[in-house]
Amino acid sequence: MQKLNEMREMKKQLDNPHDSEKIRAAARVLAEMENRPRESYIDVMETAGMEPETDPLDIESRVDELCDVIAAKVPGGPSMIEVWLSNCLPDDIETDDPQTLLTYAEMDRGEWEGQVARWADTVRHQQDGLDGYDDRLLADKHVQGHWGVSLARFEQAVVELDDQRAMEDLLGEPTDETVDAIESLTEVVA
């Protein structure tokens, strides 16, 4: 009976990792480990009188992000892509609600090509004299008007996003940023 109660408690914690003290504590340990090399880098830069390329991690925000990743791995939770859109959407893509992009991130190749054609038709109907123009060129105009990026950039960042890349970005981004900053410092010193 005790094992059954322990399993129920574990399931309860996994169903809402944001409210689990144990999960948040483990996520905090990971966030602090990610931040340690970053703080060392910042100390070196400040000691050398140089401006650091990165800031210390906001530990509580990172804990929340890690809990989001855990929630995405639990059946019934958000998808990894939904979590990525909320936490990692590049700043150059202009939107007040990243979740509106989920539809495009979930499209297969055929659905995406159909979407590009629909956007091109919309642009053709809005402006005269565009018959015969390439669908991608017209869809690019639409995407730039809505999200401030090219069609190719939108495809790379959103449409081609998959669960694997989303999880790698979510879990690796702070470390990758620190490594990039250290490599830049190495180039300056060398």
Side-chain angles (χ1 to χ4, degrees):
M1 188 66 157
Q2 182 179 351
K3 290 286 185 194
L4 183 59
N5 287 337
E6 288 173 4
M7 289 176 56
R8 284 183 183 144
E9 179 59 29
M10 184 183 303
K11 183 182 179 332
K12 181 180 171 186
Q13 289 180 34
L14 289 173
D15 284 343
N16 197 348
H18 291 277
D19 291 339
S20 168
E21 288 180 33
K22 289 178 182 178
I23 292 175
R24 290 188 70 79
R28 186 168 289 103
V29 167
L30 290 172
E32 289 171 357
M33 288 173 62
E34 290 173 329
N35 196 45
R36 213 171 308 141
R38 186 176 289 218
E39 287 181 341
S40 294
Y41 157 80
I42 292 169
D43 288 344
V44 167
M45 292 296 285
E46 289 174 350
T47 300
M50 300 169 72
E51 186 69 30
E53 292 182 15
T54 189
D55 296 317
L57 286 178
D58 177 332
I59 299 297
E60 288 308 308
S61 292
R62 183 62 178 152
V63 167
D64 289 339
E65 188 174 73
L66 291 168
C67 287
D68 288 345
V69 171
I70 292 167
K73 296 302 284 181
V74 175
S79 72
M80 196 62 67
I81 292 174
E82 287 175 278
V83 173
W84 186 93
L85 288 169
S86 294
N87 292 288
C88 297
L89 185 68
D91 292 337
D92 61 339
I93 298 176
E94 300 167 2
T95 183
D96 292 333
D97 183 10
Q99 293 304 312
T100 60
L101 303 175
L102 182 61
T103 301
Y104 308 113
E106 293 178 335
M107 288 183 171
D108 65 28
R109 192 74 192 145
E111 291 170 326
W112 176 245
E113 289 171 4
Q115 181 63 60
V116 167
R118 284 189 297 280
W119 283 338
D121 287 342
T122 298
V123 172
R124 281 187 191 98
H125 285 84
Q126 291 172 347
Q127 296 180 5
D128 291 332
L130 297 178
D131 290 337
Y133 279 83
D134 180 70
D135 282 358
R136 289 190 59 80
L137 178 71
L138 297 176
D140 183 80
K141 181 177 177 128
H142 173 83
V143 170
Q144 285 188 31
H146 275 78
W147 294 289
V149 295
S150 69
L151 180 64
R153 172 71 175 130
F154 188 82
E155 287 173 325
Q156 180 273 326
V158 177
V159 179
E160 295 170 4
L161 182 64
D162 61 22
D163 284 342
Q164 183 66 33
R165 188 180 108 207
M167 188 164 65
E168 288 172 5
D169 285 355
L170 286 158
L171 294 177
E173 186 175 13
T175 301
D176 292 344
E177 286 177 3
T178 303
V179 167
D180 290 346
I182 291 169
E183 288 174 351
S184 291
L185 173 60
T186 304
E187 288 176 14
V188 169
V189 172

